[in-house]
Structure formats: C-alpha cells, structure tokens
C-alpha cells in the first residue's frame, strides 16, 4: 500500500537496511564507551567477542525487525525500537565478560531495562545512528498514513 507515493514496503525495507547496517558499529561503540569509562583492561579475546556480538546482534535485528516490518501494520504488536532494544543483550554479554561494573542508571531505566546494567540499551532510534533515525521517522509517517487511510475507508473517521 502506498502512502502518497511512498510504498510502505519500500520505507520498511529502508529502515531494516539502515538498522542492520548500523548494528555492528552500535555494538562496538556501546562496548567501547563502557570499557573506556571504566578503564577496563581487556584481554586479547575481547575484540573477537565484540565482533561475534556484533554479528549475532545484526542477525537478530535482521530476522526480528524484518519479521515485524513484513507484518501488516494492523497486526504489529511491537515497535522497531523494541526490537533494537532487545538486541542490547549482545553488548551486555561482552561487557559482562570484560568484567564491567554496573553503571548508575535512573530508576526508570533500571525498571525498564533490568537486564542492562551498563546502560547500552538505545533510548531512541537515533542512538543507532542518523540513518536509522531518519528511516524510522519515514516509516512511522508511512505507517500512520496507511492506518488513517484504512480507518477512513472503513468509515471510522
């Protein structure tokens, strides 16, 4: 279905591509910020763990975000940001292996993300990178347009 010339499938594909492409650098950046801030002495295997986590996160996002974005908008029960947030488990695993200590987080973050003691969970799509942020805005607008059009066509608006 199109949204004033924007095919929602195309917009969704752009979001998926941007998220998958941004994932390895997001994982590496998330880990590096905590390692640097805590001045951790990492071993030679650390880089391999980061690379492995980035690949696993990338596959996770490609699979799960792809599935969400291929689902009809009226049947979607989660959001792209929720899928990306679930991928925080991968840098968290690396940080546990590196011996990182829990960072100070506000109560709402501790409540919302109890499995992320290091604060690496993305707060927004922008945390993954500008391309993900922009693609997410376009997808959200296209989704809203399709939703409104359907409700109008059904006589609900």
């Amino acid at each position: 279905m199109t949204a004033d010339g924007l095919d929602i499938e195309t917009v969704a594909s752009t979001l998926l591509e941007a998220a998958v492409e941004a994932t390895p650098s997001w994982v590496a950046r998330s880990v590096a910020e905590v390692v640097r801030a805590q001045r951790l002495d990492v071993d030679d295997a650390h880089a391999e763990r980061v690379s492995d986590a980035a690949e696993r996160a990338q596959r996770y996002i490609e699979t799960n975000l792809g599935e969400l974005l291929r689902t009809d908008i009226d049947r979607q029960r989660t959001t792209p940001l929720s899928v990306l947030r679930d991928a925080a488990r991968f840098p968290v695993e690396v940080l546990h292996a590196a011996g990182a200590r829990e960072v100070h987080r506000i109560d709402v973050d501790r409540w919302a993300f109890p499995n992320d003691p290091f604060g690496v969970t993305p707060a927004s799509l922008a945390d993954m990178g500008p391309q993900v942020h922009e693609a997410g805005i376009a997808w959200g607008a296209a989704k809203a347009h399709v939703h409104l059009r359907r409700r109008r066509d059904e006589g609900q608006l």
Side-chain angles (χ1 to χ4, degrees):
M1 178 168 288
T2 61
D4 288 339
L6 288 177
D7 177 30
I8 195 162
E9 288 84 11
T10 301
V11 176
S13 178
T14 300
L15 174 55
L16 179 61
E17 289 172 19
V20 168
E21 183 176 321
T23 299
S25 61
W26 165 73
V27 169
R29 186 174 62 251
S30 297
V31 171
E33 287 173 3
V34 175
V35 166
R36 188 172 37 259
Q38 295 188 12
R39 295 185 176 120
L40 297 174
D41 185 22
V42 294
D43 60 20
D44 293 339
H46 177 76
E48 184 61 34
R49 285 192 295 272
V50 172
S51 178
D52 178 62
E55 289 175 16
R56 290 184 298 123
Q58 198 172 33
R59 283 192 306 273
Y60 177 86
I61 288 172
E62 186 169 29
T63 299
N64 292 280
L65 183 57
E67 182 178 318
L68 170 66
L69 295 174
R70 286 187 296 275
T71 300
D72 182 80
I73 65 163
D74 289 333
R75 292 193 330 259
Q76 292 176 356
R77 299 295 174 246
T78 192
T79 66
L81 182 56
S82 292
V83 173
L84 299 179
R85 285 177 169 169
D86 288 344
R89 73 180 94 174
F90 301 103
V92 164
E93 290 173 3
V94 175
L95 290 165
H96 276 300
R101 298 172 309 284
E102 184 171 343
V103 300
H104 174 75
R105 298 179 298 147
I106 61 173
D107 289 342
V108 70
D109 284 346
R110 287 196 324 261
W111 173 82
F113 312 115
N115 297 319
D116 175 13
F118 310 113
V120 298
T121 300
S124 71
L125 295 177
D127 288 345
M128 297 292 290
Q131 292 82 4
V132 180
H133 177 71
E134 291 169 15
I137 289 172
W139 176 81
K143 179 180 176 179
H145 181 82
V146 170
H147 176 79
L148 288 172
R149 180 184 296 162
R150 286 180 181 178
R151 300 303 81 88
R152 279 192 199 109
D153 291 349
E154 295 167 355
Q156 296 179 9
L157 294 177

